Amino acid sequence: MSTDEHVRIFEVTTKDLEGLPDSRGETVRSMLKTDHGIKVDSVRVIMGYQVRSTISDAQAETLTYDLFADPVIEVAKTGSRILDDFSDAPEVAIQIGFKPGVTDNTAQAGLDGLTTLFPEQKEARVATYTTYAFWGIEGTVSPSELAATLHNPMIEMASVADRNGCLNGHWPQLGFPDVPPNIFKEPMTVNLEVSDDELLEISERGLLALNLEEMKAIQSHYRDPAVRAERTEQGLQSDRPTDAELECLAQTWSEHCSHKIFAAKIRHVDKTTDEDTTINSLFKTHIMQPTLDIQKEVDWLLSIFHDNSGVISWNDDWSVCIKAETHNSPSALDPFGGAITGIVGVNRDILGTGLGARPIANTDVFCFGPPDYSGTIPPGLFHPSRVFRGVHSGVRSGGNESGIPTVNGAIVFDERYIGKPLVFCGTVGIMPRTLADGRESHVKTPEPGDVVYMVGGRVGSDGIHGATFSSLELTEESPSSAVQIGDPITQKKMLDMILEARDEGLIQVITDNGAGGLSSSVGEMAELTGGAKLDLGQVPLKQAGLSSWEILVSESQERMTVGVRPDDCEKFEALASLHEVEATAVGEFTDSGAFVVHHGQTPVAHLPIHFLFDGCPQLNLDSEWSPPTHLPVETPELDEEGMGKLLARLLARPNVASKEWWVRSYDHEVIAQSVIKPFCGTNHDAPGDAAVIAPIQGGTQGLVISNGIAPRYSDIDSYAMAAASVDEALRNAVCVGVDLDLIAGLDNFCWPDPIESSKTPDGRYKLAQLVRANRALDDVCRAYRLPCISGKDSMKNDAMMGGEKISVPPTLLFSLLGNHEDVRKAVSSDFKKPGDAIFLVGETHQELGASELAFMLRDEGSGGIGGAVPEIEPERNMTVYRALASSMKSGLVSSAHDCSDGGLAVALAECCFGADSGASIDISPLQSDCSDLDDWGALFGESLGRILVSVRPSDKEAFEESMEGVCCHYLGLVSEGDAISVSRDGEKVLLGSMSEMRDSWKDTLHGGGL
Amino acid sequence: MTPRVAVLSGFGINCETETMAVFEMSGAHADRVHVNRLVNGDLNLSDYQIMAIPGGFSFGDHLGSGRLMGNRLRFGLRDQVRGFVREGKPVIGICNGFQVLVKMGLLPGDEEVSLTQTASLALNDSGHYENRWATLEFDSKSPCIWTAGLERIRVPVRHGEGKFVTDDPNLMDRWAESGQLVARYVDPSSEYPSASDNILPYPISPNQSWRNVAGVCDPTGLVFGLMPHPEANHSTWLGATWTREDNEHGQGEGMAIFHNAVNHVTDS
């Protein structure tokens, strides 16, 4: 047996069997056509494994079919190339592999498999690559253009063989991606006794994202004689911070971690009303205060705002929690990696809630540029279709592999999301109200002396500066180190282990390692006991040689920080070892008042807790509101068939179109709890509204999960935008029968930078938009008694590329988690039977401003988007919702679907899709809601608080009785056949074929292939 | 006697909660058993009467779904697993668990329990993972104890690699004759029985499996695996179109499979 370490290459491809296509190749072929317009006759895919080990030839033979290849459906080779075996040489061959240091999950699994077979090969390394061979490339697509569609140079390398190379057998071959050795740098200090300009330069050069006032606050801390004396005692240079301290402060004080804009003092001026007021923290005033006020009225708000997610009591046995995060900047740089780390990251927020909650449902809401965008894309950015596919694939992989169903979501398109896509990942969790030892699970119970464990993945040079980087705009220089690829299986093993540890009472405190890494997770928990000490020398590393500050702030994924009583450590470590999870004691909680960091014997940081968490100076910002002006909406003259065709075009708009092709590839049913699914209707293809899950198997109490997002209205008034988002979330929940007495919300703000500066001359306006959105959130949540229990903001969603600034439209995602008393009474959106009566509940007004119709007409060349935006009357809406909820409880409602994008007409068509039916309605009754309502406003206006309902003919009267006193119009009947027809005052105003509409609705966002 | 079910867990298996629940709902007692607890001797398979390998993404499906978990069982638990099967105890693998049983050679299997792989589950023709509902039809002549008396059920499929294939076409005939191709995708609008060897159009056959095979059993009928998730249809309100139907609420269409196995153990 040879014992020399050497690299062996194993290659695997699909066997030539009749009836067995190379589906990987087919997928690439179809993607090239759909996303890039590149036509290729055939593509073959070869998986490659480079194994650096001391295995013998005989062992390599075993590995070929016992590990790397499936003996039935694949062929494998080691020692020669599969590319040699094709009877026709390919025209182009491209090999893609990861750059050194990038997480390679397949390689990690390969290594695990290798040591299952040969346990002595612990030191082996595995790397993977994929080779694509092409035949019949149409036109003049160059090999490098093809390669560009297949890899992201930020994280991957390509090796290419052109036609000549292929004819001569000069195949592409990447080398083993060895990580260059890290050079350990001794902790350094930073002299802050410098000019203001130099202070700013220190911040910019170090990617610290701290402003001058913050730098000066740090400077003055190190001038304090008491601080200096303490530092001398600790063996640290007394008058200046170490690099690790400065990094730790920058993480903790970053916009990303400390939400400085929401905490700022804002002078708000309204030019239309002459208001001139000062708001001391939007968060405290408009988000926290309403919730605190509601908390006085209800007994189910268990833990709000301070933990990783908000917790409410669901029943006597269980509490539930919800959190959503954004992962926008990383998703712009590497859509797959950014999105997968986003979803597995928010799962950890749930696992890190209280003493540990189990994630049971994910939500995904994306905002992208239009997938068919044909304008130029600034250098450094990806085309929206590629961002879409990458993000989708990341979220699919992260959610599915973690065994957490994706139950609800949305995809919104607007050109302004080309600069930064918005990737909202949300998770709902569940935990027993009390543990076996009697502790309430939502309360963390750390004590000084508890041991700090780092559990899960190791720390590497990946993910350094994520928190500060996402607090800056995106530029060509954005660092690739901020990009990571999540590893759902490492995390799943950790999750299984943590939940067992929780149930055995071994966990006193837990939080996740996300932005800011250990500096943030240990730092935050140190606040609970009043101090912590950490030894970086104990932290397991992916690569040796990381510097102290890097270990402290690295955001390497799949890690939790857990506090364990000294007596429980042995049990905790045994459990970790059973699950093959790494758990390492790295420090101890104290009550010393400081976060103290050593690296072995070397002192690295000594930060007083109060300075770390309360030392950041409050921002003072200016806000000024004057409403924007737009050209008014111009509607064409159309006969009823013209209106039918217009509706079909509206249904084909990406914002309205079916997302089925994409959503199908999320597992939405794992855990066997899915009552109202993303799809409903006789063909399982009509859109659901809110999700309903029954998380306790066999139980009939449920949870409702919904989302609302309406960024279009920000173009006219962000107050309307925020109000519409909250109403949409609640409206969706009402459609499925939510219990209106137990609903909680979650606000996720994604804004363009609202701080006035030379780069942001319109900062005051953008801040005024933020103020107005917050006021809407406050007003509507109070009226709906819908407390926000957690939330997040991302305030720098701008990209500066090639001198061009692209800012996202101000966007609020509102997520809702509610109770469902009996899931057997849940209602789905599809019409059920011809002959059922159709009703519209809620008032319709002439509100076409910034509607989907307005944008479509503008895009088609006529008019603007100006006009009245939907105005909210939350008290009136709530009365309607309560009436409908009680009617559902009595079993009188056959279907309910909310009216949102595209208004009543779109809702009607979607309800018909689910029943394979037509419908015939008369909109005349709507005129009693609003005297100047025209057909456009009635059919396509997006007035809030409206739900389209159908009831059995036998229940019609009882339903009308149950809705007495609230606005409820009988419109017509579900009909046999294919025609959707609308009349007013005896005249046909819209006529179209349901199946033609369904085809156009389904076609737009079809992802290609089957 | 209440049968004890070992529901395997760990390494990315993720359907153990509902798999335990359906056995409990069928009158058995189910334990979550981490594979390493069997390897390290904490627990022994011989103390159980039924073994279930639930769905999930063991080892992330890297290097082929089920392969690495199959290897852990084939190399780490070879004797325990063979002993269990040879004693005539029922085994089920669902989705990823089915992939594990096929990759480790327990399915379609042979009389000797030689653990030789003879079939596989290839990437769906669509090239990607999908979650959608399908209708299954069962072979009434099959020896499979899990599906005895069943005609059809509606269940979700949730996989990317579920296309049942083999490299020896004669084997397909042999398995068909012995009733091992027990569960097949069918067009729900057809009359029972209508299972066909011709591949049905997508998405009636969601993965374009050969002969529309959705699940197979071993020659004894005790080891059974299938790609779809019967455990996900344990209650009527989990069906894909239940809001369109007027049925009484209660246990779902998937439950008969688990009742069959529990009854088999209780009766024998």
Side-chain angles (χ1 to χ4, degrees):
Chain A
M1 185 199 280
S2 156
T3 52
D4 291 342
E5 190 180 77
H6 56 281
V7 175
R8 267 178 210 274
I9 293 176
F10 297 83
E11 286 194 329
V12 179
T13 195
T14 308
K15 199 182 266 186
D16 285 323
L17 279 179
E18 203 184 313
L20 182 68
D22 180 348
S23 298
R24 291 184 190 84
E26 267 306 291
T27 302
V28 172
R29 201 180 67 86
S30 152
M31 178 278 291
L32 287 173
K33 183 160 163 269
T34 312
D35 291 2
H36 303 280
I38 298 175
K39 290 188 185 144
V40 178
D41 283 345
S42 119
V43 184
R44 289 297 303 265
V45 174
I46 301 161
M47 283 80 69
Y49 304 88
Q50 303 196 59
V51 179
R52 173 177 287 156
S53 69
T54 57
I55 55 170
S56 66
D57 291 348
Q59 287 175 320
E61 198 64 30
T62 307
L63 284 179
T64 314
Y65 284 106
D66 271 337
L67 180 62
F68 293 117
D70 183 313
V72 175
I73 54 169
E74 290 173 334
V75 287
K77 280 191 138 184
T78 178
S80 63
R81 301 299 299 272
I82 283 180
L83 285 167
D84 285 321
D85 297 350
F86 296 115
S87 50
D88 284 338
E91 288 167 31
V92 173
I94 297 168
Q95 191 171 91
I96 308 289
F98 287 113
K99 283 183 167 174
V102 177
T103 303
D104 183 345
N105 290 324
T106 309
Q108 206 46 44
L111 183 59
D112 190 290
L114 176 68
T115 51
T116 298
L117 293 168
F118 305 116
E120 72 283 2
Q121 293 290 339
K122 292 262 183 283
E123 299 301 311
R125 314 297 300 165
V126 179
T128 67
Y129 60 75
T130 308
T131 310
Y132 304 86
F134 297 88
W135 290 265
I137 304 165
E138 205 178 281
T140 56
V141 184
S142 73
S144 58
E145 281 171 282
L146 265 183
T149 66
L150 294 169
H151 82 299
N152 177 0
M154 193 162 247
I155 54 162
E156 290 164 318
M157 319 178 276
S159 168
V160 177
D162 60 12
R163 199 174 288 257
N164 242 336
C166 289
L167 282 174
N168 296 311
H170 295 147
W171 304 123
Q173 183 60 59
L174 296 164
F176 197 94
D178 280 307
V179 182
N182 284 295
I183 296 155
F184 178 80
K185 291 193 208 83
E186 289 294 332
M188 296 195 298
T189 56
V190 183
N191 179 12
L192 296 184
E193 294 302 329
V194 294
S195 71
D196 289 1
D197 284 350
E198 281 168 286
L199 280 179
L200 275 179
E201 206 189 303
I202 291 170
S203 170
E204 273 168 33
R205 205 175 44 224
L207 272 178
L208 302 178
L210 293 168
N211 67 23
L212 182 60
E213 217 183 326
E214 290 153 0
M215 287 301 287
K216 292 185 87 138
I218 298 174
Q219 182 188 52
S220 78
H221 173 76
Y222 287 91
R223 284 176 179 169
D224 181 342
V227 168
R228 289 188 172 181
E230 174 83 47
R231 295 180 66 75
T232 308
E233 204 176 299
Q234 295 288 328
L236 285 159
Q237 195 159 342
S238 65
D239 62 345
R240 59 189 63 185
T242 63
D243 49 4
E245 286 173 327
L246 202 51
E247 288 284 347
C248 188
L249 286 164
Q251 303 301 322
T252 311
W253 292 8
S254 67
E255 178 55 46
H256 186 92
C257 292
S258 77
H259 315 288
K260 290 184 282 204
I261 293 169
F262 267 82
K265 189 171 282 180
I266 295 172
R267 182 176 169 196
H268 178 66
V269 173
D270 186 331
K271 289 287 184 191
T272 62
T273 61
D274 291 334
E275 178 193 354
D276 184 343
T277 42
T278 300
I279 303 161
N280 188 8
S281 172
L282 286 171
F283 172 69
K284 284 189 182 147
T285 312
H286 293 303
I287 298 175
M288 200 170 196
Q289 195 56 50
T291 298
L292 292 176
D293 291 344
I294 294 170
Q295 198 174 25
K296 290 174 198 148
E297 297 168 19
V298 303
D299 60 358
W300 42 264
L301 287 168
L302 294 181
S303 167
I304 44 176
F305 299 122
H306 66 268
D307 205 340
N308 289 309
S309 71
V311 187
I312 60 173
S313 158
W314 181 43
N315 55 37
D316 291 343
D317 299 326
W318 299 96
S319 53
V320 289
C321 53
I322 183 167
K323 178 63 176 274
E325 289 266 4
T326 51
H327 232 222
N328 308 336
S329 304
S331 300
L333 297 177
D334 177 40
F336 177 86
I340 191 172
T341 44
I343 192 69
V344 297
V346 74
N347 293 163
R348 284 197 306 278
D349 275 323
I350 296 303
L351 187 60
T353 294
L355 297 170
R358 174 189 297 278
I360 53 167
N362 286 335
T363 61
D364 297 300
V365 176
F366 308 141
C367 302
F368 299 133
D372 57 350
Y373 183 73
S374 57
T376 49
I377 301 286
L381 296 175
F382 289 119
H383 189 276
S385 65
R386 183 156 175 185
V387 176
F388 185 178
R389 204 174 278 276
V391 165
H392 168 262
S393 168
V395 161
R396 177 189 63 199
S397 182
N400 292 1
E401 291 175 30
S402 304
I404 302 164
T406 298
V407 300
N408 199 253
I411 311 176
V412 177
F413 300 95
D414 186 297
E415 284 184 11
R416 289 163 291 178
Y417 294 119
I418 287 175
K420 257 196 199 182
L422 303 184
V423 176
F424 299 91
C425 298
T427 303
V428 172
I430 191 166
M431 53 187 166
R433 285 285 297 273
T434 44
L435 301 182
D437 57 22
R439 285 181 299 159
E440 290 187 293
S441 62
H442 66 275
V443 182
K444 298 184 197 290
T445 55
E447 279 172 18
D450 287 351
V451 178
V452 179
Y453 276 89
M454 190 181 95
V455 182
R458 298 183 149 220
V459 171
S461 53
D462 48 350
I464 286 178
H465 280 151
T468 51
F469 154 67
S470 61
S471 305
L472 297 165
E473 67 187 6
L474 200 61
T475 68
E476 289 91 336
E477 281 86 42
S478 295
S480 62
S481 70
V483 174
Q484 301 191 69
I485 295 178
D487 172 5
I489 296 308
T490 295
Q491 178 149 317
K492 173 69 173 141
K493 289 194 287 185
M494 172 177 76
L495 191 141
D496 289 353
M497 177 254 161
I498 294 277
L499 291 175
E500 274 187 43
R502 175 200 70 187
D503 291 341
E504 289 183 27
L506 303 178
I507 293 177
Q508 304 304 323
V509 62
I510 180 168
T511 197
D512 84 304
N513 280 276
L518 284 170
S519 82
S520 156
S521 69
V522 180
E524 269 170 36
M525 291 196 300
E527 217 185 348
L528 299 174
T529 58
K533 54 187 186 185
L534 179 65
D535 179 1
L536 299 175
Q538 301 298 321
V539 176
L541 303 179
K542 289 183 186 170
Q543 309 101 17
L546 287 185
S547 302
S548 309
W549 72 267
E550 291 177 311
I551 301 173
L552 189 60
V553 303
S554 165
E555 297 172 7
S556 288
Q557 294 288 303
E558 292 87 38
R559 291 182 296 146
M560 300 297 289
T561 300
V562 183
V564 179
R565 295 223 163 105
D567 285 350
D568 294 332
C569 287
E570 204 176 316
K571 271 190 179 167
F572 187 78
E573 288 181 19
L575 202 54
S577 139
L578 175 82
H579 287 264
E580 300 185 20
V581 169
E582 201 158 15
T584 315
V586 295
E588 190 186 313
F589 290 106
T590 68
D591 51 8
S592 71
F595 179 34
V596 181
V597 185
H598 283 77
H599 195 151
Q601 297 304 312
T602 317
V604 170
H606 184 275
L607 289 164
I609 297 285
H610 68 89
F611 177 63
L612 185 56
F613 289 101
D614 304 319
C616 184
Q618 190 181 28
L619 287 175
N620 284 292
L621 300 175
D622 287 310
S623 155
E624 188 179 294
W625 172 252
S626 50
T629 51
H630 292 279
L631 288 174
V633 180
E634 271 177 32
T635 51
E637 288 289 322
L638 291 174
D639 63 8
E640 70 261 31
E641 276 167 14
M643 285 292 255
K645 293 206 161 60
L646 179 136
L647 173 55
R649 292 206 302 285
L650 193 60
L651 285 160
R653 299 266 298 170
N655 280 333
V656 180
S658 169
K659 278 86 182 170
E660 181 183 354
W661 193 91
W662 305 89
V663 174
R664 276 263 172 249
S665 66
Y666 301 140
D667 188 335
H668 55 261
E669 294 181 287
V670 59
I671 315 185
Q673 58 181 6
S674 172
V675 177
I676 298 293
K677 306 170 199 291
F679 305 107
C680 59
T682 182
N683 301 314
H684 316 173
D685 58 0
D689 288 313
V692 179
I693 58 173
I696 306 302
Q697 276 81 24
T700 54
Q701 190 184 354
L703 290 171
V704 176
I705 298 152
S706 63
N707 287 288
I709 186 165
R712 276 185 277 115
Y713 299 135
S714 287
D715 285 344
I716 293 179
D717 186 357
S718 55
Y719 186 97
M721 181 279 290
S725 304
V726 181
D727 187 60
E728 185 181 17
L730 182 58
R731 213 162 61 223
N732 275 297
V734 169
C735 286
V736 299
V738 74
D739 166 9
L740 286 164
D741 292 319
L742 185 36
I743 46 174
L746 194 65
D747 57 284
N748 280 81
F749 285 85
C750 280
W751 235 250
D753 188 357
I755 301 179
E756 188 178 33
S757 71
S758 57
K759 278 190 283 190
T760 312
D762 54 352
R764 287 176 189 226
Y765 173 69
K766 287 170 174 166
L767 191 61
Q769 288 182 303
L770 186 66
V771 170
R772 292 183 69 78
N774 271 275
R775 288 179 169 176
L777 187 66
D778 186 336
D779 294 345
V780 180
C781 286
R782 282 177 189 275
Y784 286 165
R785 211 178 70 184
L786 171 52
C788 289
I789 56 171
S790 187
K792 201 83 198 245
D793 54 272
S794 165
M795 305 303 291
K796 308 276 169 172
N797 291 292
D798 312 274
M800 187 67 93
M801 293 288 173
E804 192 190 340
K805 181 169 179 175
I806 310 175
S807 298
V808 303
T811 305
L812 169 68
L813 168 66
F814 194 85
S815 317
L816 182 144
L817 175 63
N819 180 44
H820 202 291
E821 290 174 331
D822 184 351
V823 299
R824 292 168 296 185
K825 294 197 167 157
V827 175
S828 64
S829 72
D830 46 319
F831 285 152
K832 299 300 182 294
K833 282 197 177 110
D836 286 355
I838 302 172
F839 290 87
L840 182 67
V841 302
E843 287 183 21
T844 306
H845 293 266
Q846 185 67 17
E847 294 172 325
L848 285 167
S851 62
E852 189 64 32
L853 174 80
F855 276 85
M856 181 174 88
L857 295 174
R858 186 201 66 177
D859 293 350
E860 289 178 352
S862 61
I865 60 152
V869 283
E871 202 170 307
I872 192 152
E873 286 209 32
E875 287 81 9
R876 187 186 71 207
N877 293 348
M878 198 60 175
T879 317
V880 173
Y881 296 158
R882 285 202 181 273
L884 187 60
S886 103
S887 167
M888 282 178 173
K889 250 190 208 173
S890 315
L892 298 174
V893 178
S894 294
S895 78
H897 189 30
D898 94 302
C899 296
S900 53
D901 298 346
L904 169 62
V906 163
L908 181 71
E910 288 178 340
C911 292
C912 290
F913 298 162
D916 257 345
S917 75
S920 172
I921 65 165
D922 177 5
I923 54 173
S924 318
L926 304 187
Q927 292 164 60
S928 66
D929 295 346
C930 168
S931 54
D932 59 354
L933 185 70
D934 65 15
D935 294 346
W936 296 95
L939 284 171
F940 304 107
E942 298 170 0
S943 293
L944 304 177
R946 296 182 310 155
I947 294 173
L948 188 66
V949 164
S950 72
V951 303
R952 282 181 294 266
S954 55
D955 292 331
K956 184 168 176 255
E957 224 166 287
F959 176 75
E960 283 173 323
E961 253 168 56
S962 77
M963 297 302 287
E964 218 160 67
V966 302
C967 180
C968 175
H969 299 293
Y970 171 70
L971 297 185
L973 296 173
V974 181
S975 56
E976 298 270 5
D978 194 47
I980 293 181
S981 106
V982 181
S983 62
R984 187 196 21 83
D985 302 329
E987 218 174 287
K988 276 248 154 36
V989 293
L990 184 150
L991 182 65
S993 147
M994 182 276 295
S995 47
E996 278 172 28
M997 289 184 198
R998 185 161 61 191
D999 287 346
S1000 54
W1001 177 70
K1002 282 192 159 194
D1003 190 47
T1004 306
L1005 294 179
H1006 195 282
L1010 283 179
Chain B
M1 179 204 67
T2 307
R4 292 185 69 196
V5 187
V7 176
L8 300 195
S9 74
F11 305 112
I13 286 175
N14 61 36
C15 297
E16 68 269 30
T17 309
E18 58 266 40
T19 305
M20 287 166 67
V22 292
F23 280 107
E24 300 266 347
M25 287 163 80
S26 310
H29 173 82
D31 282 341
R32 172 185 282 119
V33 175
H34 194 285
V35 171
N36 279 354
R37 284 200 207 272
L38 297 171
V39 175
N40 70 14
D42 269 5
L43 298 171
N44 200 306
L45 265 188
S46 61
D47 295 330
Y48 292 90
Q49 286 78 50
I50 298 174
M51 176 170 81
I53 309 181
F57 271 85
S58 56
F59 296 95
D61 274 4
H62 300 299
L63 280 67
S65 54
R67 166 151 305 270
L68 294 171
M69 184 62 106
N71 277 357
R72 287 270 183 139
L73 299 181
R74 190 153 64 104
F75 297 103
L77 288 173
R78 190 178 184 87
D79 293 340
Q80 279 194 57
V81 170
R82 290 187 74 204
F84 194 88
V85 172
R86 290 175 134 179
E87 278 175 51
K89 293 177 174 175
V91 175
I92 190 170
I94 301 169
C95 195
N96 195 222
F98 179 38
Q99 293 163 337
V100 169
L101 293 177
V102 168
K103 304 293 172 83
M104 70 187 288
L106 259 185
L107 282 176
D110 47 49
E111 273 78 9
E112 300 75 38
V113 196
S114 70
L115 301 187
T116 311
Q117 182 182 345
T118 51
S120 194
L121 293 152
L123 195 60
N124 299 348
D125 274 10
S126 68
H128 54 85
Y129 182 102
E130 282 189 351
N131 178 347
R132 62 167 72 244
W133 281 66
T135 302
L136 300 187
E137 183 170 299
F138 300 98
D139 180 355
S140 59
K141 296 185 217 62
S142 170
C144 184
I145 65 109
W146 294 84
T147 61
L150 282 175
E151 294 187 351
R152 284 184 178 182
I153 60 170
R154 293 173 294 177
V155 277
V157 293
R158 311 194 309 250
H159 61 253
E161 298 178 18
K163 181 185 170 88
F164 185 84
V165 298
T166 176
D167 56 352
D168 179 355
N170 298 325
L171 283 175
M172 286 301 276
D173 289 333
R174 204 194 309 158
W175 294 327
E177 274 161 35
S178 56
Q180 286 179 260
L181 305 180
V182 57
R184 305 216 247 169
Y185 302 106
V186 289
D187 182 343
S189 66
S190 63
E191 293 288 317
Y192 179 86
S194 67
S196 149
D197 288 353
N198 298 323
I199 298 175
L200 291 166
Y202 172 87
I204 294 172
S205 161
N207 46 32
Q208 302 292 285
S209 217
W210 288 7
R211 301 197 191 184
N212 305 304
V213 170
V216 302
C217 64
D218 76 339
T220 69
L222 287 157
V223 183
F224 173 51
L226 75 173
M227 286 313 300
H229 288 270
E231 85 287 6
N233 192 0
H234 63 60
S235 297
T236 45
W237 52 87
L238 300 178
T241 51
W242 72 269
T243 59
R244 306 183 63 79
E245 294 154 18
D246 287 328
N247 303 332
E248 288 267 302
H249 278 300
Q251 290 201 345
E253 293 171 22
M255 286 303 298
I257 289 180
F258 306 100
H259 283 291
N260 270 342
V262 172
N263 292 340
H264 174 87
V265 173
T266 329
D267 296 347
S268 59

